Amino acid sequence: MTIDMTGRSASGIAADLRTRIERGELAPGTLLPSVRAVAADLGVNRNTVVAAYRQLAQAGLVEARGRGGTRVVDRAAVAQEGYAPDTVLRDVGTGNPAPGRIPDPTAALARSTRPVLYGEPVIDPGLEAWAREWMADQLPHDELRITVTSGASDAIERLLAQSLQRDDAVALEDPCFLSALHTVRTGGYRAVPVAVDAEGMTVEGLRVALQAGVRAVICTPRAHNPTGASLTAERAAALRAVLAEHPYVLVIEDDHFSLLSRAALHSVIGPGQRRWARIRSMSKFLGPDTCLAVTASDVDTADGLAVRLTPGTTWVSHLLQRMTLALVTDEAVRAGIERAAAHYAHRNAAFAEALSARGLAVSPGDGLNLWVPLPVPAAAVREELMRRGWLVREGDPFFLAPEHAGSFLRLTVHDLDADLADSLADDIAIAAGTLSAGVLPARARSGRIDT
């Protein structure tokens, strides 16, 4: 395509293109002319055009796709977790924990009312001491620092911002946790997909991403969202071996399910890794409104995090910090968290078994959700389920690379009673074509869900 530009310097060319993008004259996804073509049209050096495109990329307006050229960024919003607004359908795509399984914070808050003033330590000493011991599991580094942020997404955003520049590449699991994908895209970084299989992030996928020059890797060691996959000891060791060849790449381990996980932790952070961080959020077991996450990291990364916190929130509320400490050190609360973990695992396993009995083979994995492979397009199943009173979440928004995508649903079913769970299992099987309406074969009847 040809674009009428008057600029002759890098900043002038960038300004011309930026104006057209902001006015909507260049729609999202538009392929810009090649560097060679622009240089020939304007009579300027190719390096001038390269610099102009780099300015636009750093501003988050375009992205370079190698042989695919440079395109205007699609700023369409990334799908988010939570209940869908304004629907009368039964929503089973929320990704939420069960409200009744979230501990009551009233008593803990009543013990957390001492005023905190400017100049005091930004991390509650008691929480820091507890977190240091909790976070050290399988970390082969004696020296680590603890940082408290307003949730895992806040930690990831600050970690990337203190280490990367716009248009730097970040390796993400594919399919990907929605909040991580949203954080990377809104930060102006390039997401490089790494395929996930039943054992988590794939070794070859990570190797290719590192060869492509990623500067950060975000990995979920267990309860991967959306698939429920957890790293095996063998897979984690193989990933560490690949990462060992890139010691200065920032490795972020997002252990979001931590206290609720039924899987053992196998870390990808090796002893030679110079830049690393492990994040554990409280949102799954203390509730999303807790808005608190703990990060353990190397000293330099922690210092960078502190710099990123200083001009913004400065610290996370000490009310939240002391409340969190009171809850996680309370034996009754910890017993309740363990019961919640068993509840999620049991409900997901029962529903996976019910779907398998109805002709849809499903592995329950780990986490709050179920990842359901379908023999037909997910959009058609979703539409049929809407007609039957259900709102489900398709797998498509979780994928970065079309070649990795398949047909999936991600379901949150742990709060359904036995009758509703059976009805949903029947309706999914009917919509997917593995079960005829009104006809329940013996395998389906034997798949009755016991809650």
Side-chain angles (χ1 to χ4, degrees):
M1 65 175 296
T2 300
I3 300 175
D4 182 26
M5 289 180 279
T6 58
R8 292 296 184 273
S9 65
S11 59
I13 296 169
D16 277 352
L17 289 170
R18 181 170 191 156
T19 298
R20 285 162 172 73
I21 292 171
E22 291 175 344
R23 289 177 177 175
E25 296 171 12
L26 297 177
T30 298
L31 177 66
L32 297 185
S34 70
V35 168
R36 184 191 301 274
V38 174
D41 287 345
L42 298 179
V44 300
N45 189 285
R46 291 174 61 187
N47 289 337
T48 301
V49 184
V50 169
Y53 279 17
R54 184 180 298 118
Q55 288 181 27
L56 292 170
Q58 290 174 344
L61 296 172
V62 303
E63 60 179 352
R65 299 182 181 180
R67 293 182 179 179
T70 300
R71 294 182 181 272
V72 178
V73 168
D74 185 354
R75 295 181 176 274
V78 176
Q80 298 292 294
E81 298 284 19
Y83 292 104
D86 304 321
T87 180
V88 296
L89 304 176
R90 178 72 189 227
D91 191 345
V92 288
T94 70
N96 271 314
R101 302 284 169 173
I102 296 173
D104 184 349
T106 305
L109 275 171
R111 302 195 299 271
S112 308
T113 56
R114 181 184 71 79
V116 174
L117 304 177
Y118 296 116
E120 296 194 39
V122 297
I123 303 177
D124 177 78
L127 178 62
E128 183 175 14
W130 175 84
R132 182 175 295 276
E133 181 178 355
W134 182 47
M135 298 292 284
D137 181 28
Q138 290 191 37
L139 283 178
H141 297 269
D142 295 331
E143 192 172 16
L144 61 87
R145 293 273 185 88
I146 298 296
T147 308
V148 176
T149 60
S150 298
S153 294
D154 182 45
I156 292 172
E157 189 277 330
R158 295 177 191 275
L159 284 164
L160 296 178
Q162 59 94 27
S163 300
L164 278 61
Q165 297 180 354
R166 293 189 74 96
D167 205 42
D168 278 347
V170 180
L172 293 178
E173 295 152 323
D174 196 23
C176 183
F177 188 30
L178 290 175
S179 65
L181 178 57
H182 180 72
T183 300
V184 167
R185 285 183 175 172
T186 56
Y189 312 113
R190 288 184 291 115
V192 176
V194 178
V196 170
D197 64 16
E199 297 182 37
M201 178 178 277
T202 57
V203 177
E204 183 58 25
L206 177 61
R207 182 178 290 110
V208 170
L210 290 166
Q211 291 171 348
V214 299
R215 294 182 177 271
V217 176
I218 302 176
C219 179
T220 311
R222 51 186 173 176
H224 171 257
N225 188 345
T227 69
S230 296
L231 294 176
T232 61
E234 295 77 14
R235 176 63 59 81
L239 293 171
R240 289 195 301 271
V242 174
L243 288 167
E245 300 174 12
H246 303 268
Y248 289 96
V249 167
L250 174 62
V251 178
I252 301 174
E253 195 170 71
D254 184 7
D255 191 24
H256 71 104
F257 211 50
S258 61
L259 294 182
L260 292 170
S261 181
R262 302 288 86 183
L265 174 65
H266 298 294
S267 178
V268 299
I269 300 171
Q273 210 66 46
R274 302 295 296 273
R275 305 173 70 199
W276 56 271
R278 172 182 289 168
I279 305 169
R280 283 176 173 164
S281 169
M282 308 294 165
S283 65
K284 299 299 187 294
F285 51 87
L286 297 186
D289 200 38
T290 304
C291 288
L292 187 146
V294 174
T295 298
S297 66
D298 65 90
V299 174
D300 290 340
T301 298
D303 287 344
L305 264 178
V307 170
R308 294 296 303 177
L309 282 164
T310 298
T313 56
T314 307
W315 71 77
V316 174
S317 165
H318 279 254
L319 288 174
L320 285 176
Q321 291 190 50
R322 291 197 293 267
M323 180 199 77
T324 296
L325 178 63
L327 290 171
V328 296
T329 57
D330 185 303
E331 290 185 4
V333 171
R334 290 295 290 265
I337 293 172
E338 179 59 29
R339 288 193 296 273
H343 167 81
Y344 296 134
H346 170 71
R347 289 294 181 88
N348 285 344
F351 198 83
E353 182 180 356
L355 286 178
S356 296
R358 291 162 171 80
L360 286 169
V362 178
S363 172
D366 193 20
L368 292 177
N369 309 293
L370 274 180
W371 189 239
V372 180
L374 299 170
V376 295
V381 174
R382 181 179 185 271
E383 291 178 5
E384 177 60 26
L385 289 172
M386 289 178 70
R387 287 190 282 270
R388 293 172 176 270
W390 303 102
L391 185 62
V392 299
R393 172 156 277 180
E394 294 176 54
D396 286 1
F398 296 90
F399 284 98
L400 286 76
E403 62 269 23
H404 295 161
S407 182
F408 298 92
L409 298 179
R410 199 209 65 178
L411 304 175
T412 310
V413 297
H414 54 71
D415 58 346
L416 299 179
D417 63 27
D419 288 337
L420 281 173
D422 270 323
S423 294
L424 176 58
D426 287 342
D427 288 341
I428 292 173
I430 292 168
T434 62
L435 191 67
S436 298
V439 179
L440 296 179
R443 67 174 185 272
R445 290 196 297 271
S446 67
R448 167 77 180 177
I449 298 174
D450 181 10
T451 58

